[in-house]
């Protein structure tokens, strides 16, 4: 399953849960629910910055949060490609 397929699936699941559990979850629109998937890049960038903090910026660091966000995006794309290739290789 590609990243965008997972994004759509998570969005639809989130919207469905908002309908089934209206007192617990509120989602204004499907576009709002789609932002949840894109926010994972921000979370990944925050995790990279946190790792930099614990390891020490002299050993592992970023010039800015934007750089960490770019690295998180690139790592996600590469991870998606490798995962898809791995699944295709062993599903034959």
């Amino acid at each position: 399953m590609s990243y965008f397929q997972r994004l759509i699936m998570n969005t639809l699941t989130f919207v469905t849960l908002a309908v089934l559990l209206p007192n617990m979850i509120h989602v204004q629109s499907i576009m709002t629910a789609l932002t949840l998937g894109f926010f994972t890049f921000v979370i990944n960038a925050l995790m990279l910055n946190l790792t930099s903090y614990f390891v020490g910026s002299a050993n592992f660091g970023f010039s800015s949060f934007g750089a960490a966000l770019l690295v998180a995006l690139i790592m996600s794309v590469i991870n998606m490609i490798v995962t898809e290739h791995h699944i295709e290789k062993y599903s034959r």
Side-chain angles (χ1 to χ4, degrees):
M1 188 178 297
S2 74
Y3 174 77
F4 292 107
Q5 289 171 328
R6 286 192 308 267
L7 177 68
I8 297 298
M9 182 63 76
N10 287 336
T11 300
L12 293 175
T13 301
F14 196 66
V15 170
T16 302
L17 288 173
V19 170
L20 294 174
L21 307 169
N23 294 330
M24 300 172 95
I25 303 171
H26 169 72
V27 180
Q28 185 175 357
S29 69
I30 195 144
M31 290 307 292
T32 302
L34 272 168
T35 60
L36 178 69
F38 292 116
F39 189 68
T40 59
F41 296 123
V42 175
I43 293 171
N44 289 342
L46 288 170
M47 292 304 293
L48 286 169
N49 274 332
L50 187 63
T51 302
S52 173
Y53 174 78
F54 284 118
V55 172
S57 59
N59 298 316
F60 175 77
F62 301 95
S63 61
S64 66
F65 183 74
L69 191 61
L70 178 63
V71 169
L73 176 66
I74 292 169
M75 288 178 67
S76 294
V77 169
I78 290 172
N79 187 32
M80 179 183 66
I81 292 168
V82 169
T83 302
E84 288 295 316
H85 176 71
H86 182 73
I87 290 171
E88 288 177 10
K89 181 179 177 182
Y90 292 102
S91 66
R92 293 180 191 165

